[in-house]
Amino acid sequence: MKSLFRLIFVCSLASAFQLPAAQAESSGKLVLGIVSISANEANNQRFIQAATKEAATRGWDVSVIDAAGSADQANAAIQDLVQRKAGGIIDMVFPVSSLGAALAATKRAQIPVATWGGGLGNGVVATNGSGGPMASPIVQMMLQDLGDKGAVLALTYHTGQVAREREQVLDEALKQAPDVKVTKNEVRIPGYFQDGAQYANAWLAAHPANSAPLAIWGSWDDPALGAISALRQQNRTDVKVYGENGNAQAIESIRKGFMTATAWQDSATEGVKLVDTLDAAIKAGASWEPKAVEVPAVVITKANVEEFVKAHPESIKK
């Protein structure tokens, strides 16, 4: 029964590819496989679009698979790309520790793998988009705004390496602020908007308006945006909201005064840089040394949002 289920699942993956296997193989082009944790999420979309465009400049075909938050689906998708003889693979956000079977297959086939937020190790040749460095300025700003006291609702997610790293940064910072009480709730993919709103509603009921300095922190923007919908429904203006990634809706929320701050992740540049680095690794072969090619984040607040949008008009295009 398990074998039958796996066969059905792998066959279903073919419809998620931008190119059918036969077409990709007959074209004679290198196939770059991109396996995303959530291909419809705004930040993932920016990365995929930029990486696809950059790959096209090299004459590569690109196959995108949405693993819908499932490490099992990501492992199956990567192994299917190995069977298709892909020339390179990018893992988006899934930690390398959750891709053991897939990475064993890529090693045997000598297919280079790069990760966006998934970290190095297990034969990965390059990474960027790491979560920890991006979270640090937002977490520090939040605690400073709270005066190192009060309460925080943290919307977390443990399947993605980026969200894990950001939560670790939060935990370390909170050790220096023992008077801040934290409630953690795990959101789902898909379902993060709804979960953010639901958890915020429950948390707000236990934290009346102006009872203490209050904040909501999302390990990325979307759960925090879900929480904002709950705040608006209850007309709560006493709670500060912080996100990560800087997607278009988050930037608009800062402009309107609903979100306090986010860290804009230049995922388009990260997509280009990771494709370029993967290309270099392919050409270098066995002489290649694994490396991180990080792109610094930009903190956006009400004070600088208009200047930021003027400098980066693409950031508010949905």
Side-chain angles (χ1 to χ4, degrees), residues 265-291:
Q265 181 174 9
D266 189 356
S267 52
T269 296
E270 288 172 339
V272 171
K273 182 165 283 193
L274 206 55
V275 169
D276 292 347
T277 306
L278 188 57
D279 184 35
I282 291 170
K283 292 174 179 175
S287 66
W288 179 260
E289 293 291 333
K291 63 177 65 178

Side-chain angles (χ1 to χ4, degrees), residues 58-98:
R58 290 168 168 72
W60 297 356
D61 285 334
V62 177
S63 291
V64 179
I65 305 169
D66 186 350
S70 168
D72 289 340
Q73 291 191 30
N75 271 283
I78 292 173
Q79 291 179 75
D80 189 69
L81 285 165
V82 170
Q83 293 297 316
R84 293 181 57 200
K85 297 181 172 54
I89 297 171
I90 293 177
D91 152 50
M92 297 179 64
V93 183
F94 289 102
V96 294
S97 59
S98 68

Side-chain angles (χ1 to χ4, degrees), residues 157-293:
Y157 180 72
H158 292 149
T159 300
Q161 181 71 16
V162 165
R164 287 187 195 177
E165 292 178 6
R166 291 171 179 172
E167 185 180 352
Q168 289 169 0
V169 168
L170 176 68
D171 290 343
E172 287 300 313
L174 288 169
K175 290 178 181 179
Q176 308 304 316
D179 292 331
V180 176
K181 307 305 178 186
V182 180
T183 301
K184 290 186 178 181
N185 287 125
E186 179 91 354
V187 301
R188 299 164 298 167
I189 292 180
Y192 39 78
F193 286 115
Q194 298 88 337
D195 287 349
Q198 178 182 338
Y199 291 135
N201 276 321
W203 183 80
L204 290 170
H207 296 82
N210 302 309
S211 58
L214 301 175
I216 296 174
W217 175 84
S219 53
W220 78 101
D221 286 324
D222 292 332
L225 290 167
I228 286 174
S229 69
L231 291 172
R232 295 183 66 185
Q233 287 176 359
Q234 298 190 33
N235 197 29
R236 290 287 295 269
T237 59
D238 60 306
V239 182
K240 297 182 181 297
V241 182
Y242 302 84
E244 311 277 353
N245 289 358
N247 70 33
Q249 192 174 351
I251 293 171
E252 287 296 339
S253 292
I254 291 174
R255 298 175 92 175
K256 294 175 181 177
F258 301 135
M259 181 177 277
T260 308
T262 187
W264 181 66
Q265 181 174 9
D266 189 356
S267 52
T269 296
E270 288 172 339
V272 171
K273 182 165 283 193
L274 206 55
V275 169
D276 292 347
T277 306
L278 188 57
D279 184 35
I282 291 170
K283 292 174 179 175
S287 66
W288 179 260
E289 293 291 333
K291 63 177 65 178
V293 285

Side-chain angles (χ1 to χ4, degrees), residues 1 13 35 43 94 98-99 140 216 274 295 316:
M1 178 63 70
L13 287 174
V35 179
N43 208 37
F94 289 102
S98 68
L99 298 175
Q140 293 300 327
I216 296 174
L274 206 55
V295 178
I316 57 173

